[in-house]
Amino acid sequence: MFEDEGGGKVAGYHQFHAVRTAVAETIRATESMDRRIGVIWHTQGSGKSLTMVFYAGRLVVEQMLRNPTIVVLTDRNDLDG
């Protein structure tokens, strides 16, 4: 992830491509009524939590999904914040 001087955050290259693919697969699964969507796998410290934040952010503005419900589950207290 990259951060500018004003505190704005931009996804890293791997996050950008992962989110773009995940959003496309979400739309495909929704349109086909398949409803099976994979998960994103990365190594430790690769920014998976932020990738999911970027993904959720893209989903809520995607007009094809019509106001999706997003449920967030965490396995550590430090991620709850």
Side-chain angles (χ1 to χ4, degrees), residues 12-42:
Y13 298 110
H14 66 289
Q15 293 168 318
F16 172 81
H17 291 294
V19 168
R20 186 176 65 171
T21 301
V23 169
E25 282 298 303
T26 302
I27 293 169
R28 180 204 56 78
T30 302
E31 288 176 339
S32 69
M33 299 303 286
D34 180 13
R35 299 191 185 250
R36 290 182 291 172
I37 305 168
V39 298
I40 296 176
W41 180 88
H42 281 296

